[in-house]
Amino acid sequence: MEDGASPMHISTPYEDPAPRVLQDPIGVNLAVDIDGAPEHLRQGLQQIIGSHNVAYFVRAGSAPAEHVWNVRFEHTEDVASGTFDVRSIAAGQAPQITVRYNRTIDAFRALGQVLTAARAAEVAALNNTDALRTPDFTIAEQAQFETLALMIDCSRNGVLSVNSVRAMLRNMALMGYTMLQLYTEDTYKVEGEPFFGYLRGGYTQDELRSIDDYAFAMGIEVVACIQTLGHLGQMLQWPRYAGLRDTNEVILSRAPETYAFLEKLIKAASAPLRSKRIHIGMDEAYGVGEGRFRGLYGQVEGTAIFVEHLGRVHAICAQLGLRAMIWSDMLFCLAAKNNALYAYYDQSNNPAEALSRVEGIPSDIDLVFWDYYHTQPEIYARKIQQHKELGCERPWMAGGAWTWSRLWCHVPFSFESNRASLVAAKSDSGRVSSFMLTIWGDEGNECDFFSALPVMLYVANHAHTDKHEIDAAFMENAFAAICGGSLGDWMAASSVDELPQATDMRTQMPSNMSKWLLWEDPMLSFMSPQYTGLALDEHYACTATRLLDCALAPSTRYPLNRLLRMPGLLARVLSLKCNLRDRLARPYKAGDRTALLQVAETRLRPLIEAQRELWLYHRARWMRIYKPFGWETLELRYGGLAARLHTMYDRIVAYALRAPCSALRRSRAIGVAAGVSRHPALLPGRPMPSDSMPVDSVDVCDSVTVAPGPSMSADIGSGLSVGEVPSWLPSITSADSSDDPAATSVGLGWPVTACTPALPTCSIPACGPLQTSVDTACAPAPLPVMTALPALSTHPTDNVTTINALGVRELGGEGDFWLQPAPLLPPELDPQDSFPRDIGCLGEEDTALDSVIDSIPELEEDLLCIYENSYTSLLLDYGRVTAPSRLG
């Protein structure tokens, strides 16, 4: 560390150098003269300006805003490749910003720096308003690498949609990345090979071609990134490819049919792209030569097999005019006869001697050294030197954004490890010409890849300076202006994987504790001894409060913050799940059934709903940014967790009430609550079963006293644990129900009509908060119908159930149906409010309304709910529900 500086990338939680004092709307507008720009920039400028998240851009010549900066571009050979300069000239009321550049990508990197300067001027204007009217700055940068690449994993379930790839490309352009690699093991289409990538959502030739065209307009090269040795298990599992199998993951070397097949793969992956480079993988090919190969060709030393196979694949690439690169780890692991990563990173392990005994690797193969773990530059520099000793004069360095095996990118450690590799890659001893940032999705791709945006920006900024540290205020301004998020808030999201007390980032790899805590069995809870004595529930509660406040706060300045809802919901689930087993074990051991029941109702039931909210939001987000294929893997995990939570609840309540689970399920009825379900046995008016009371005395058909809704009190003994009602819930009113004697105000202010077909005249039995003293026998038709928006409804009130459609939720479990407000429904999604306009939507190019609705997971599916049992029927007419995304 230089001059005792505190690197911003290990500050957790991140201290925002410019707290939320900037007010909407945006104070600076950039008027880019697209028509006057060089022709090769126009398409790319339209792509970025038309879809940018933050409202900095205005059309040149449009109605004047308060502070407008005119931006023009000038292409010149006088500026060296990889450099640009930006100059501002005060010209009356409209300052002129001139960008001089050589490469296309440098023009877009410069535009990103102008955005950053506009944000910095807004901050400076808090003390000096002249910073907006008369900007005075000069920007000049020198790229430290010929190639700055981003590789995105599209093979671990999640295949980015074309729109999501385009969103990534727009951010990459403003950051200055020159190359994109989409890692596709079997997720691209190959003619005549229907089982290659079967049911995996692979890219078609047209999709790859459209991605390449979109990137080319912004000066970004798209390079095929495939596998030609290991990591082919998804393909080799099919009987169609049994003859190509060495092991379950490794293709059979030396067999002629293998190379005919690999030629088809290489042609299919590279044909739609302009680039004449290709990444052919070959990493982690553990067991090469030890499966069917040994039976067919005998015992052969692993390095010899690898080099021979590499030579034959290289020949195919050369024939097609492609320059190939590979991951370098197997050269080190095979030489050490050790498949562990330790062999790769062992400073004493140099494979030069082992390679001297074989023909050697082709001289024009580029080796990519990947290391995501170390935080000392010296370790990277020594290993880079070893790659050069293998005869590779131009090795690549690859770092990682820690997105794998977790649900949210761990930003602080990603900063720390990439800083070390970048410092080494820019040093005299470890200098390389190409750097790659990788985004992996191991273990099912649970992580939202857009959570890696801060790491992408950090690496890009490091790659355009010879300094070792990046200024924190500069990073904050750049992230706000380019991506549309608050860096401090995004750094704080990493706390879902951090212990409450501080840890030394240099001595450990980042934890993925949130993943373990989420998926562990709630009853067995084998992780609980690991955090004994730590107030993890409080830690996660505080984290959830901060992140959800940030995600739901309307802001044109930080539109990207809405994505923080994912870690916020995750933290909310963990705040209820941590220490749950201990909370239940104590009253169980003490024989306190009342306390046990209280924990089940006040923590376990909210946990069930919180887990459901997380699942629904995760599903909605997945469908927005990925292709649908692959989600089934994660949904099985969510389904298993939900089933275990319901089983846990049923067994605990049955034990506490001394009643069989089947009787409890039959006794559940319709209720309206404020986020926590109620068992009828807990409602006022129903006696708690005593030790001497027989089970049969709990008569599930008796009427019970009306329970209070969220606007009513929750006195001790009422069986309710109602949280604070959100301020944006509709006000209580019963005016609409005055003409309908069968309608009942249920505490939320919406009239509800319930029918009991084919039953004798009686009160609705055991139906919790929804209760009426009016006899409601009625014919089977017409049935109650729900309309989406009461304010817009013109349907007659007879036999109509009117309720806020956005508040409908079904809390799972046999016999459960609860109409309730969504606990985290943001104000902009309430139908009583007007919908916000011009909200940028990262990862999509839909209308503003469609981008808003993505916060309501699978709305229409949730509305298609039917509850039927022997007592009461409530049918919701799906055909008469209008989703907000379709409103005019």
Side-chain angles (χ1 to χ4, degrees), residues 29 33 52 102 129 236 308 324 331 406-407 422 435 563 640 647 684 731 743 809 819 842 883:
N29 296 112
D33 184 9
H52 192 60
N102 189 321
T129 57
L236 293 174
E308 175 189 336
L331 293 172
R406 63 191 64 245
L407 282 83
L422 284 159
F435 188 93
L563 300 189
T647 296
S731 58
R809 287 290 184 270
L819 299 180
L842 188 65

Side-chain angles (χ1 to χ4, degrees), residues 670-674 710 729-731 733 736-737 743-753 769-770 784-793 795-797 799-810 817-822 825 829-832 859 862-863 865 874-877 880-882 884:
I670 299 175
V672 178
L729 280 179
S731 58
T733 176
D736 295 338
S737 62
T744 303
S745 180
V746 294
L748 293 182
W750 299 305
V752 175
T753 299
L770 178 60
V785 175
M786 180 187 64
T787 57
L789 305 175
L792 302 179
S793 175
H795 296 301
T797 58
N799 294 322
V800 172
T801 299
T802 304
I803 195 166
N804 185 343
L806 301 181
V808 172
R809 287 290 184 270
E810 180 197 1
F817 186 81
W818 306 98
L819 299 180
Q820 62 170 25
L825 189 65
L829 293 170
D830 193 300
Q832 296 185 2
L859 172 66
D862 275 343
L863 297 182
C865 300
L874 175 63
L875 273 67
L876 308 182
D877 187 349
R880 295 174 65 178
V881 173
T882 302

Side-chain angles (χ1 to χ4, degrees), residues 299-321:
Q299 179 73 39
V300 181
E301 200 271 330
T303 299
I305 298 174
F306 184 88
V307 172
E308 175 189 336
H309 181 75
L310 174 59
R312 298 189 65 169
V313 178
H314 168 263
I316 296 173
C317 294
Q319 182 181 353
L320 298 174

Side-chain angles (χ1 to χ4, degrees), residues 63-74:
E66 183 177 359
H67 301 293
V68 177
W69 297 359
N70 292 315
V71 182
R72 59 180 296 271
F73 293 88
E74 178 184 330

Side-chain angles (χ1 to χ4, degrees), residues 631-786:
W631 173 248
E632 67 279 358
T633 298
L634 301 191
E635 196 142 60
L636 286 170
R637 298 175 190 176
Y638 277 113
L641 176 59
R644 288 296 291 159
L645 289 173
H646 278 286
T647 296
M648 187 179 190
Y649 175 83
D650 285 347
R651 289 181 60 84
I652 289 172
V653 172
Y655 172 81
L657 297 180
R658 300 177 182 271
C661 290
S662 58
L664 297 178
R665 284 197 298 270
R666 287 195 302 271
S667 70
R668 293 180 188 159
I670 299 175
V672 178
V676 181
S677 66
R678 309 290 177 263
H679 195 284
L682 298 178
L683 296 173
R686 176 175 294 279
M688 288 288 293
S690 64
D691 292 346
S692 61
M693 181 183 296
V695 172
D696 293 340
S697 66
V698 183
D699 187 352
V700 299
C701 293
D702 290 341
S703 297
V704 296
T705 307
V706 178
S711 63
M712 306 165 112
S713 64
D715 298 329
I716 297 177
S718 68
L720 298 177
S721 178
V722 181
E724 181 179 352
V725 178
S727 59
W728 39 265
L729 280 179
S731 58
I732 302 301
T733 176
S734 59
D736 295 338
S737 62
S738 58
D739 297 329
D740 187 356
T744 303
S745 180
V746 294
L748 293 182
W750 299 305
V752 175
T753 299
C755 296
T756 311
L759 281 180
T761 302
C762 64
S763 297
I764 299 177
C767 58
L770 178 60
Q771 189 59 256
T772 176
S773 59
V774 180
D775 293 342
T776 56
C778 60
L783 291 169
V785 175
M786 180 187 64

Side-chain angles (χ1 to χ4, degrees), residues 139 404 417 461 496 535 635 653 701 716 748 791 811 876 885 887:
I139 305 173
W404 60 93
S417 60
N461 287 339
V496 297
E635 196 142 60
V653 172
C701 293
I716 297 177
L748 293 182
L811 289 187
L876 308 182
S885 60
L887 295 179

Side-chain angles (χ1 to χ4, degrees), residues 361-533:
I361 60 177
S363 59
D364 59 343
I365 287 284
D366 293 330
L367 300 181
V368 183
F369 165 49
W370 55 276
D371 186 345
Y372 320 135
Y373 307 96
H374 295 98
T375 56
Q376 295 81 32
E378 299 78 15
I379 295 177
Y380 293 92
R382 285 196 292 268
K383 189 59 70 172
I384 291 172
Q385 185 59 38
Q386 288 183 356
H387 281 70
K388 294 180 179 180
E389 293 172 3
L390 296 179
C392 179
E393 298 180 356
R394 296 165 59 86
W396 287 49
M397 179 72 238
W402 277 75
T403 52
W404 60 93
S405 303
R406 63 191 64 245
L407 282 83
W408 194 257
C409 180
H410 197 288
V411 175
F413 189 85
S414 299
F415 283 179
E416 185 75 4
S417 60
N418 280 288
R419 174 193 176 275
S421 61
L422 284 159
V423 167
K426 294 188 292 186
S427 67
D428 293 337
S429 59
R431 171 74 62 177
V432 298
S433 59
S434 301
F435 188 93
M436 178 191 297
L437 177 66
T438 60
I439 299 177
W440 295 104
D442 300 44
E443 299 182 16
N445 202 74
E446 297 161 324
C447 188
D448 185 338
F449 280 169
F450 286 97
S451 67
L453 281 172
V455 186
M456 291 170 54
L457 180 62
Y458 177 80
V459 168
N461 287 339
H462 229 300
H464 285 84
T465 179
D466 58 359
K467 300 183 182 302
H468 291 182
E469 307 295 347
I470 304 298
D471 181 69
F474 171 69
M475 270 292 296
E476 163 66 22
N477 289 331
F479 189 65
I482 294 174
C483 301
S486 167
L487 185 59
D489 296 333
W490 280 62
M491 293 283 286
S494 297
S495 60
V496 297
D497 281 323
E498 293 176 356
L499 295 173
Q501 68 266 29
T503 55
D504 187 352
M505 212 72 66
R506 291 177 171 78
T507 60
Q508 65 176 36
M509 290 187 294
S511 160
N512 61 347
M513 54 187 281
S514 65
K515 176 188 175 79
W516 287 85
L517 291 171
L518 177 64
W519 300 130
E520 73 163 341
D521 186 272
M523 188 76 83
L524 303 180
S525 191
F526 68 92
M527 282 285 291
S528 56
Q530 305 295 322
Y531 56 84
T532 300

